[in-house]
Amino acid sequence: MKPLLIPAVLILGLTLATTVAASKRAGEVFIPGKPLQQQIERIEVELNDGETYSELKPADRSRVREALVRMRTAVEQHPNRDAMPEQVRTDVFNDQEIVNTVLTQAREDSRLICQREKVIGSNRSTTQCMTVAERERYKDKAQHDLSKAQHVGKIVN
C-alpha cells in the first residue's frame, strides 16, 4: 500500500506546481509561445474597445501605445526572432515588460468589488458596486473634502 502512496503524492505535487505556474502566467498580458504580432494586434483591439482597460490613465495609455509601436517596428524589421539582433531583442523584452506592468495594473483597477452596506437610518442593506479605481477616487475625494473643511471651517458638498 505504501509504494502506491508515494507516486500519488508526487503526481499531486506536480499537478499543483503546474497549476500555480499556469495561474501566474495567466495574469500576464503577453502569453509566452504565441506570435508577438498577433498579441500586439489583440492588445491594440482591447485598448480601443473602451471597456477592457477603461481605468487606464491617458499617460499610461500613450506609454503602452508607444511601446507597442516600437515592438511592431522591431517585429516587422526582423520577422524571425532568432535572426533578431541581441539589442533589439532586449528592447522588445523591455517594452513587453512595460506593457505587462501597466496593463496588469489597469486590469486590477478595473475589477468590480461589491459590498453590502446599511443605509443610515435603515436596517435594510443594499449592494454597492464600484471598481477599485472608483473606490480609490471616492476615498481621495472624501479625504480632500475633509481636509478642506478642517482648514476652511465649512463643509463641502
Side-chain angles (χ1 to χ4, degrees):
M1 188 79 168
K2 280 188 177 181
L4 292 175
L5 183 62
I6 294 173
V9 170
L10 285 174
I11 290 172
L12 182 64
L14 288 173
T15 305
L16 181 62
T18 305
T19 305
V20 169
S23 69
K24 284 184 180 179
R25 274 186 254 122
E28 292 185 2
V29 177
F30 283 102
I31 303 163
K34 292 204 174 185
L36 189 59
Q37 187 71 22
Q38 291 175 359
Q39 294 190 61
I40 291 171
E41 290 170 3
R42 176 185 51 84
I43 292 169
E44 288 174 340
V45 167
E46 290 173 351
L47 278 173
N48 293 330
D49 71 6
E51 191 174 305
T52 307
Y53 298 110
S54 61
E55 296 293 341
L56 195 59
K57 296 175 185 164
D60 289 336
R61 187 175 296 272
S62 67
R63 207 169 131 206
V64 168
R65 287 189 194 281
E66 290 168 3
L68 290 174
V69 166
R70 287 191 301 266
M71 290 167 47
R72 182 184 296 276
T73 303
V75 170
E76 288 172 354
Q77 289 176 353
H78 308 282
N80 186 1
R81 184 185 181 280
D82 296 331
M84 198 179 281
E86 187 66 31
Q87 182 60 41
V88 174
R89 204 176 319 169
T90 303
D91 292 342
V92 167
F93 177 79
N94 289 338
D95 286 335
Q96 281 181 325
E97 288 299 309
I98 289 170
V99 172
N100 274 333
T101 303
V102 172
L103 294 185
T104 301
Q105 182 61 45
R107 189 184 308 145
E108 286 297 314
D109 287 347
S110 296
R111 282 183 309 126
L112 191 64
I113 298 177
C114 297
Q115 66 183 39
R116 307 264 312 151
E117 296 177 350
K118 285 186 178 179
V119 179
I120 296 175
S122 173
N123 285 330
R124 288 186 64 192
S125 58
T126 60
T127 303
Q128 303 293 324
C129 296
M130 288 188 264
T131 65
V132 173
E134 287 173 332
R135 292 171 64 94
E136 188 68 26
R137 285 193 298 267
Y138 185 75
K139 183 185 87 168
D140 290 344
K141 183 182 181 325
Q143 286 177 343
H144 178 266
D145 290 347
L146 180 63
S147 174
K148 191 172 182 179
Q150 288 174 342
H151 291 311
V152 176
K154 66 178 184 176
I155 297 176
V156 179
N157 286 333

